[in-house]
Amino acid sequence: MKDLAKKTPVQTWYTGKTIFVTGGSGFMGKVLLEKLLYSCSDLERIYVLMRPKRGKSPQTRIDDWLKLPVFKRIREEKPKVYKKLVPIPGDVTSDKLGISPEHEQLLIENAEIVFHCAATLKLEARLKDAIEMNTIGTKRILDLCLQMKRLKALLHLSTAFCYCDKEVLTEKVHDFHHNPYDLMRTVEWMDEKALDMITPNLLTPHPNTYTYSKRLAEMMVRDAYSKLRVCIVRPSIVCPANAEPVEGWVDSLNGPVGIMVAGGKGIIRSMLCNGEYNAEVIPVDIAINGLITIAYTLGQMEEMPKEIPVYNITCRETKRTTWKEVLDLGKATAYEYPFEAGVWYPDGDITMNKTYHNIIVLLFHWLPAYFIDFLMFCFGQKRFMCRIQNMVSEGLSLLQFFTTRQWDFKSHQYQAIAKDLSPEDNVIFTMDVDAIDTKDYLRRIILGGRQYCMKEPLSTLPKARIQLKCLWVLDKVAKAFVLYGLAWLFLTLTGLKAPVYEMLGWAL
């Protein structure tokens, strides 16, 4: 074993620890596993709850991860530590997590730190699925953790948006008029069609099943606090990595990344959003550093507080950026680093005028989509634009709840963690959002979405810039024709065509 004197306090605490992680295959999960292996390499082992997928065994899935960009520095610098990643076949939606008695006993005897990150992130998920995964799944994790003999810290990953009926979102679990145990029993016996019918009334004031089921889960975690060393962690909108493990790394088009990519491709021309409100986003590496240091803080507590510790992983008040600033900087960055094969010149905008937004969506979202699909049909090609536009529309309608409201997050307990860390730990596990340059970070987001989601290498940038110039010319010519057509129609209908043409010296 390495000399402990050369390690930071956080690294020393993780030395020899056995960790259990759920949701390891997700965006945050992969970054968490990579950071633990890279910066806390002397941990004993990380058990990851995994289910077979697409015919691949859990072990095969984990082996395949090593090829991903997110594990690049592990692959190049510390390949041996990857063997400390061990899959536990199972599923949070199965009774007793679907794990074997042998694996269950293994976790009960050895697990010391638990990161519960598994969840369905689909905002539009059916209530039964959301409750099954996010609420009942959490209950199963709590039941297992209550049996663990060496447990030092359990972190439940929630969301900063689970109290959307509160004007100020503090680091506290609030009561709710629904009992999570009643809801769990209801989804077990009620017919899905009947459940779907009552879902809108049940969700109020929540905009979707995700925040609703997460709120219910928090209440259960709070109830277990007297028996478990547990805390709740609430990140805001998690975005691509700022610096670690790879700048701009992201593995899906969910959330703002999908909006930026669609906007950069010219697919999105309008979005309902209040430009003066704050964009509550957090880089994934900052959020993961928060998780790791929160577990350390929880494990170090000699006396637990009376109420369950809650940490809002959100931006400091000194680092608030508005949606308008994000749009302006994002557009400038997208012009400098354009995507390949855009549908139209990227020149969308945000508005709070629903009538104007709906007109723009009709004219510049749906009409071009139908026109492109018509051309694809004529040439015998597979149609795709209407399908993409439908996905974009659904995504925008779900996101507008968060982009048309002002969120006031308080994160005093979370911000206090960095003050108690050593200078070395504050470098290795940085949570300093203030040090991030917004323009540079947006560049990393766009290039990350370009490379890792759209699979467009940076070598194609020169070609993409030429395509962007062509789209700019096409955009100006098309707008000129549209304006001319509208003017001609107006003059014709009002009878002003002849006098105007005569004044300009044009022939009718």
Side-chain angles (χ1 to χ4, degrees), residues 275-337:
E276 303 304 314
Y277 289 166
N278 296 325
E280 290 293 345
V281 300
I282 198 86
V284 66
D285 47 340
I286 299 294
I288 292 305
N289 288 338
L291 285 179
I292 293 172
T293 54
I294 287 169
Y296 161 78
T297 301
L298 186 67
Q300 292 285 98
M301 288 182 181
E302 294 182 3
E303 184 178 347
M304 298 296 288
K306 292 182 179 180
E307 293 188 354
I308 183 171
V310 179
Y311 302 92
N312 288 341
I313 302 183
T314 55
C315 291
R316 300 174 188 263
E317 293 182 4
T318 55
K319 190 63 178 179
R320 296 288 167 86
T321 305
T322 66
W323 287 112
K324 186 178 187 307
E325 291 172 324
V326 170
L327 175 68
D328 293 341
L329 287 172
K331 285 169 71 171
T333 306
Y335 294 150
E336 189 175 355
Y337 303 98

Coordinates of all heavy atoms in Angstrom, one line a residue, residues 275-337:
G275 N -35.4 35.0 -21.1 CA -34.0 35.2 -21.2 C -33.4 35.9 -19.9 O -32.2 35.8 -19.7
E276 N -34.2 36.5 -19.1 CA -33.7 37.2 -17.9 C -33.6 36.2 -16.7 O -33.0 36.6 -15.7 CB -34.6 38.3 -17.5 CG -34.9 39.3 -18.6 CD -33.5 39.9 -19.1 OE1 -32.7 40.3 -18.3 OE2 -33.4 40.0 -20.4
Y277 N -34.1 35.0 -16.8 CA -34.0 34.1 -15.7 C -32.7 33.3 -15.8 O -32.0 33.2 -16.8 CB -35.2 33.1 -15.8 CG -36.5 33.7 -15.4 CD1 -37.7 33.0 -15.7 CD2 -36.6 34.9 -14.8 CE1 -38.9 33.5 -15.3 CE2 -37.8 35.5 -14.5 CZ -39.0 34.8 -14.7 OH -40.2 35.3 -14.4
N278 N -32.3 32.8 -14.6 CA -31.0 32.1 -14.5 C -31.0 30.7 -15.1 O -32.0 30.0 -15.0 CB -30.6 32.0 -13.0 CG -30.4 33.3 -12.4 OD1 -29.9 34.2 -13.0 ND2 -30.7 33.4 -11.1
A279 N -29.9 30.4 -15.8 CA -29.8 29.0 -16.3 C -29.1 28.2 -15.3 O -27.9 28.3 -15.0 CB -28.9 29.1 -17.6
E280 N -29.9 27.3 -14.6 CA -29.4 26.6 -13.5 C -28.8 25.3 -14.0 O -29.4 24.2 -13.9 CB -30.5 26.3 -12.5 CG -30.9 27.5 -11.7 CD -29.9 28.1 -10.8 OE1 -28.9 27.3 -10.5 OE2 -30.0 29.2 -10.3
V281 N -27.5 25.3 -14.4 CA -26.8 24.2 -14.9 C -25.5 24.0 -14.1 O -25.0 24.9 -13.6 CB -26.5 24.3 -16.4 CG1 -27.8 24.4 -17.2 CG2 -25.6 25.5 -16.7
I282 N -25.0 22.7 -14.1 CA -23.8 22.4 -13.4 C -23.0 21.4 -14.2 O -23.6 20.4 -14.7 CB -24.1 21.9 -11.9 CG1 -22.9 22.0 -11.0 CG2 -24.7 20.5 -12.0 CD1 -22.8 23.3 -10.3
P283 N -21.7 21.6 -14.4 CA -20.9 20.6 -15.1 C -20.9 19.3 -14.4 O -20.8 19.3 -13.1 CB -19.5 21.3 -15.2 CG -19.8 22.7 -15.0 CD -20.9 22.8 -14.1
V284 N -20.9 18.2 -15.1 CA -20.9 16.9 -14.4 C -19.7 16.6 -13.6 O -19.9 16.0 -12.5 CB -21.1 15.8 -15.5 CG1 -19.9 15.7 -16.4 CG2 -21.4 14.4 -14.8
D285 N -18.6 17.1 -13.9 CA -17.4 16.8 -13.1 C -17.4 17.6 -11.8 O -17.0 17.1 -10.7 CB -16.1 17.1 -13.8 CG -16.1 18.4 -14.6 OD1 -17.2 19.0 -14.8 OD2 -15.0 18.9 -14.9
I286 N -18.0 18.8 -11.8 CA -18.2 19.5 -10.6 C -19.2 18.8 -9.7 O -19.0 18.7 -8.4 CB -18.7 21.0 -10.9 CG1 -17.7 21.7 -11.7 CG2 -19.0 21.7 -9.6 CD1 -16.4 22.0 -11.0
A287 N -20.3 18.3 -10.3 CA -21.3 17.6 -9.5 C -20.7 16.3 -8.9 O -21.0 16.0 -7.7 CB -22.5 17.3 -10.4
I288 N -19.9 15.6 -9.6 CA -19.3 14.3 -9.1 C -18.3 14.6 -8.0 O -18.3 13.9 -7.0 CB -18.7 13.5 -10.3 CG1 -19.8 13.1 -11.3 CG2 -17.9 12.4 -9.8 CD1 -20.9 12.2 -10.6
N289 N -17.5 15.6 -8.2 CA -16.6 16.0 -7.1 C -17.4 16.3 -5.8 O -17.0 16.0 -4.7 CB -15.8 17.2 -7.5 CG -14.7 16.9 -8.5 OD1 -14.3 15.7 -8.6 ND2 -14.3 17.9 -9.3
G290 N -18.6 16.9 -6.0 CA -19.5 17.2 -4.9 C -19.9 15.9 -4.2 O -19.9 15.8 -3.0
L291 N -20.3 14.9 -5.0 CA -20.8 13.6 -4.5 C -19.7 13.0 -3.6 O -19.9 12.5 -2.5 CB -21.2 12.7 -5.6 CG -22.5 12.9 -6.3 CD1 -22.7 11.9 -7.4 CD2 -23.7 12.9 -5.3
I292 N -18.5 13.0 -4.2 CA -17.4 12.3 -3.5 C -17.0 12.9 -2.2 O -16.8 12.3 -1.2 CB -16.2 12.2 -4.5 CG1 -16.5 11.3 -5.7 CG2 -14.9 11.7 -3.7 CD1 -15.4 11.3 -6.7
T293 N -17.0 14.3 -2.2 CA -16.6 15.0 -1.0 C -17.8 15.0 0.0 O -17.5 15.1 1.2 CB -16.2 16.4 -1.3 OG1 -17.2 17.1 -2.1 CG2 -14.9 16.4 -2.1
I294 N -19.0 14.9 -0.4 CA -20.1 14.8 0.5 C -20.1 13.5 1.2 O -20.4 13.5 2.4 CB -21.5 15.0 -0.3 CG1 -21.7 16.5 -0.7 CG2 -22.7 14.6 0.6 CD1 -22.8 16.7 -1.7
A295 N -19.8 12.4 0.5 CA -19.7 11.1 1.2 C -18.6 11.2 2.2 O -18.8 10.6 3.3 CB -19.4 10.0 0.1
Y296 N -17.5 11.8 1.9 CA -16.4 11.9 2.9 C -16.8 12.7 4.1 O -16.6 12.4 5.2 CB -15.2 12.6 2.2 CG -14.2 13.2 3.1 CD1 -13.2 12.5 3.8 CD2 -14.2 14.6 3.3 CE1 -12.3 13.0 4.6 CE2 -13.2 15.2 4.1 CZ -12.3 14.4 4.8 OH -11.4 15.0 5.6
T297 N -17.5 13.9 3.8 CA -18.0 14.7 4.9 C -19.0 14.0 5.8 O -18.9 14.0 7.0 CB -18.7 16.0 4.3 OG1 -17.8 16.7 3.5 CG2 -19.2 16.9 5.4
L298 N -19.9 13.2 5.2 CA -20.9 12.4 5.9 C -20.2 11.4 6.8 O -20.6 11.1 8.0 CB -21.9 11.8 5.0 CG -23.1 11.1 5.6 CD1 -24.0 12.0 6.3 CD2 -23.9 10.3 4.5
G299 N -19.2 10.7 6.2 CA -18.5 9.6 6.9 C -17.7 10.1 8.0 O -17.4 9.4 9.0
Q300 N -17.3 11.4 8.0 CA -16.4 12.0 9.0 C -17.2 12.5 10.2 O -16.6 12.8 11.2 CB -15.6 13.1 8.4 CG -14.5 12.6 7.4 CD -13.3 12.0 8.1 OE1 -13.2 10.8 8.2 NE2 -12.4 12.8 8.6
M301 N -18.5 12.7 10.0 CA -19.3 13.3 11.1 C -19.3 12.5 12.3 O -19.7 11.3 12.3 CB -20.8 13.5 10.6 CG -20.9 14.6 9.6 SD -22.7 14.8 9.1 CE -22.6 16.1 7.9
E302 N -18.9 13.1 13.4 CA -18.9 12.4 14.7 C -20.3 12.3 15.3 O -20.7 11.3 15.9 CB -18.0 13.1 15.7 CG -16.5 13.0 15.3 CD -15.6 13.6 16.3 OE1 -16.1 14.1 17.4 OE2 -14.4 13.7 16.0
E303 N -21.1 13.4 15.1 CA -22.4 13.4 15.5 C -23.3 13.9 14.4 O -23.1 15.0 13.9 CB -22.6 14.3 16.8 CG -24.0 14.4 17.4 CD -24.0 15.3 18.6 OE1 -23.0 15.7 19.1 OE2 -25.2 15.6 19.0
M304 N -24.3 13.1 14.1 CA -25.2 13.5 13.0 C -26.2 14.6 13.4 O -26.6 14.6 14.6 CB -26.0 12.3 12.5 CG -25.1 11.2 11.9 SD -24.2 11.6 10.5 CE -25.6 11.7 9.3
P305 N -26.5 15.5 12.5 CA -27.5 16.6 12.8 C -28.9 16.0 13.1 O -29.2 14.9 12.7 CB -27.4 17.5 11.6 CG -26.9 16.6 10.5 CD -26.0 15.7 11.1
K306 N -29.7 16.8 13.7 CA -31.1 16.3 14.0 C -31.9 16.0 12.8 O -32.6 15.1 12.7 CB -31.8 17.4 14.9 CG -31.2 17.6 16.2 CD -32.0 18.6 17.1 CE -31.4 18.7 18.5 NZ -32.2 19.8 19.2
E307 N -31.7 16.9 11.7 CA -32.5 16.7 10.5 C -31.5 16.1 9.4 O -30.3 16.4 9.5 CB -33.1 18.0 10.0 CG -34.2 18.5 10.8 CD -34.9 19.7 10.2 OE1 -34.4 20.2 9.1 OE2 -35.9 20.2 10.8
I308 N -32.1 15.3 8.5 CA -31.3 14.7 7.5 C -30.5 15.8 6.7 O -31.0 16.8 6.2 CB -32.1 13.9 6.5 CG1 -31.3 13.1 5.5 CG2 -33.2 14.7 5.9 CD1 -32.0 12.1 4.7
P309 N -29.2 15.6 6.5 CA -28.4 16.5 5.7 C -28.8 16.5 4.2 O -29.0 15.5 3.6 CB -26.9 16.0 5.8 CG -26.9 15.1 7.0 CD -28.3 14.5 7.0
V310 N -29.0 17.7 3.7 CA -29.4 17.9 2.3 C -28.4 18.8 1.6 O -28.1 19.9 2.2 CB -30.8 18.4 2.1 CG1 -31.2 18.6 0.7 CG2 -31.8 17.5 2.8
Y311 N -28.0 18.5 0.4 CA -27.0 19.3 -0.3 C -27.5 19.7 -1.7 O -27.7 18.8 -2.5 CB -25.6 18.6 -0.4 CG -25.1 18.3 1.0 CD1 -25.3 17.0 1.5 CD2 -24.3 19.1 1.7 CE1 -24.8 16.6 2.8 CE2 -23.7 18.8 2.9 CZ -24.0 17.5 3.5 OH -23.5 17.2 4.7
N312 N -27.7 20.9 -1.9 CA -28.1 21.4 -3.3 C -26.9 21.7 -4.1 O -26.2 22.7 -3.8 CB -29.0 22.7 -3.2 CG -30.4 22.4 -2.7 OD1 -30.8 21.2 -2.7 ND2 -31.1 23.4 -2.2
I313 N -26.6 20.8 -5.1 CA -25.4 21.1 -5.9 C -25.8 22.0 -7.1 O -26.2 21.6 -8.1 CB -24.8 19.8 -6.5 CG1 -24.4 18.8 -5.3 CG2 -23.6 20.0 -7.4 CD1 -23.8 17.6 -5.8
T314 N -25.8 23.3 -6.8 CA -26.2 24.3 -7.7 C -25.2 25.4 -7.8 O -24.2 25.4 -7.0 CB -27.6 24.9 -7.3 OG1 -27.4 25.4 -5.9 CG2 -28.7 23.9 -7.3
C315 N -25.4 26.3 -8.7 CA -24.4 27.4 -8.9 C -24.5 28.4 -7.7 O -25.5 28.6 -7.1 CB -24.7 28.2 -10.2 SG -24.3 27.2 -11.7
R316 N -23.3 29.0 -7.4 CA -23.3 30.0 -6.4 C -24.1 31.2 -6.9 O -24.2 31.4 -8.2 CB -21.8 30.5 -6.1 CG -20.9 29.4 -5.6 CD -19.5 30.0 -5.6 NE -18.5 29.0 -5.3 CZ -18.0 28.8 -4.0 NH1 -18.5 29.5 -3.0 NH2 -17.1 27.9 -3.8
E317 N -24.5 32.1 -6.0 CA -25.2 33.3 -6.5 C -24.3 34.2 -7.2 O -24.7 35.1 -8.0 CB -25.8 34.0 -5.2 CG -26.9 33.2 -4.6 CD -27.5 34.0 -3.4 OE1 -27.1 35.1 -3.1 OE2 -28.4 33.4 -2.7
T318 N -23.0 34.1 -7.0 CA -22.0 34.9 -7.7 C -21.7 34.4 -9.1 O -21.0 35.1 -9.9 CB -20.6 34.9 -6.9 OG1 -20.2 33.6 -6.7 CG2 -20.8 35.6 -5.6
K319 N -22.2 33.2 -9.4 CA -22.0 32.6 -10.8 C -23.3 32.3 -11.5 O -23.4 31.3 -12.1 CB -21.1 31.4 -10.6 CG -20.6 30.8 -11.9 CD -19.6 31.7 -12.6 CE -19.1 31.0 -13.9 NZ -18.1 31.9 -14.6
R320 N -24.2 33.2 -11.4 CA -25.5 33.0 -12.1 C -25.4 33.6 -13.5 O -24.9 34.7 -13.7 CB -26.6 33.7 -11.3 CG -26.8 33.1 -9.9 CD -27.5 31.7 -10.0 NE -27.4 31.0 -8.8 CZ -28.3 31.0 -7.8 NH1 -29.3 31.9 -7.9 NH2 -28.2 30.3 -6.8
T321 N -25.8 32.8 -14.5 CA -25.8 33.2 -15.9 C -27.2 33.1 -16.4 O -27.9 32.1 -16.2 CB -24.9 32.3 -16.7 OG1 -23.6 32.3 -16.2 CG2 -24.8 32.8 -18.2
T322 N -27.7 34.1 -17.1 CA -29.1 34.1 -17.7 C -29.2 33.3 -18.9 O -28.2 33.0 -19.6 CB -29.6 35.5 -17.9 OG1 -28.8 36.1 -19.0 CG2 -29.4 36.4 -16.7
W323 N -30.4 32.9 -19.3 CA -30.6 32.1 -20.5 C -30.2 32.9 -21.7 O -29.7 32.4 -22.7 CB -32.1 31.7 -20.6 CG -32.4 30.6 -19.7 CD1 -33.3 30.6 -18.6 CD2 -32.0 29.2 -19.7 NE1 -33.3 29.4 -18.0 CE2 -32.6 28.5 -18.6 CE3 -31.1 28.5 -20.5 CZ2 -32.3 27.2 -18.4 CZ3 -30.8 27.2 -20.3 CH2 -31.4 26.5 -19.2
K324 N -30.4 34.2 -21.7 CA -30.1 35.1 -22.8 C -28.6 35.1 -23.0 O -28.1 35.0 -24.2 CB -30.6 36.5 -22.6 CG -30.4 37.4 -23.8 CD -30.9 38.8 -23.6 CE -30.9 39.6 -24.9 NZ -29.5 39.6 -25.5
E325 N -27.8 35.2 -21.9 CA -26.4 35.1 -22.1 C -25.9 33.8 -22.6 O -25.0 33.8 -23.5 CB -25.7 35.4 -20.7 CG -25.9 36.8 -20.2 CD -25.4 36.9 -18.7 OE1 -25.6 36.0 -17.9 OE2 -24.9 38.0 -18.4
V326 N -26.6 32.7 -22.2 CA -26.2 31.4 -22.7 C -26.5 31.3 -24.2 O -25.7 30.8 -25.0 CB -27.0 30.3 -22.0 CG1 -26.9 29.0 -22.7 CG2 -26.6 30.2 -20.5
L327 N -27.7 31.9 -24.6 CA -28.1 31.9 -26.0 C -27.1 32.7 -26.9 O -26.6 32.2 -27.9 CB -29.5 32.4 -26.2 CG -30.0 32.6 -27.7 CD1 -30.2 31.2 -28.3 CD2 -31.2 33.4 -27.8
D328 N -26.8 33.9 -26.5 CA -25.9 34.7 -27.2 C -24.5 34.1 -27.4 O -23.9 34.1 -28.5 CB -25.8 36.1 -26.6 CG -27.1 36.9 -26.7 OD1 -28.0 36.5 -27.5 OD2 -27.3 37.8 -25.9
L329 N -24.0 33.7 -26.3 CA -22.6 33.1 -26.3 C -22.7 31.8 -27.1 O -21.7 31.4 -27.8 CB -22.1 32.9 -24.9 CG -21.7 34.1 -24.1 CD1 -21.4 33.7 -22.7 CD2 -20.5 34.8 -24.7
G330 N -23.7 31.0 -26.9 CA -23.9 29.7 -27.6 C -24.0 29.9 -29.1 O -23.3 29.1 -29.8
K331 N -24.7 30.9 -29.6 CA -24.8 31.1 -31.0 C -23.5 31.5 -31.6 O -23.0 31.0 -32.6 CB -25.9 32.2 -31.3 CG -27.3 31.7 -31.1 CD -28.3 32.8 -31.1 CE -28.5 33.4 -32.5 NZ -29.6 34.3 -32.5
A332 N -22.8 32.4 -30.9 CA -21.4 32.8 -31.4 C -20.5 31.7 -31.4 O -19.7 31.5 -32.4 CB -20.9 33.9 -30.4
T333 N -20.6 30.8 -30.4 CA -19.7 29.6 -30.4 C -20.1 28.6 -31.5 O -19.2 28.0 -32.2 CB -19.8 28.9 -29.0 OG1 -19.5 29.9 -28.0 CG2 -18.8 27.8 -29.0
A334 N -21.4 28.5 -31.7 CA -21.8 27.5 -32.8 C -21.4 28.0 -34.2 O -21.2 27.2 -35.1 CB -23.3 27.4 -32.7
Y335 N -21.3 29.3 -34.4 CA -20.9 29.9 -35.7 C -19.4 29.6 -35.8 O -18.9 29.4 -37.0 CB -21.2 31.4 -35.7 CG -22.6 31.7 -35.8 CD1 -23.1 32.9 -35.2 CD2 -23.6 30.8 -36.3 CE1 -24.4 33.3 -35.2 CE2 -24.9 31.2 -36.3 CZ -25.3 32.4 -35.8 OH -26.7 32.7 -35.8
E336 N -18.7 29.6 -34.7 CA -17.2 29.4 -34.8 C -16.9 27.9 -35.0 O -15.9 27.5 -35.6 CB -16.5 29.9 -33.6 CG -15.0 30.0 -33.6 CD -14.4 30.6 -32.4 OE1 -15.2 31.1 -31.5 OE2 -13.2 30.6 -32.3
Y337 N -17.7 27.1 -34.3 CA -17.5 25.6 -34.4 C -18.8 25.0 -34.8 O -19.5 24.3 -34.1 CB -17.1 25.1 -33.0 CG -15.9 25.7 -32.4 CD1 -16.0 26.8 -31.5 CD2 -14.6 25.3 -32.8 CE1 -14.8 27.4 -31.0 CE2 -13.4 25.9 -32.3 CZ -13.6 27.0 -31.4 OH -12.5 27.6 -30.9

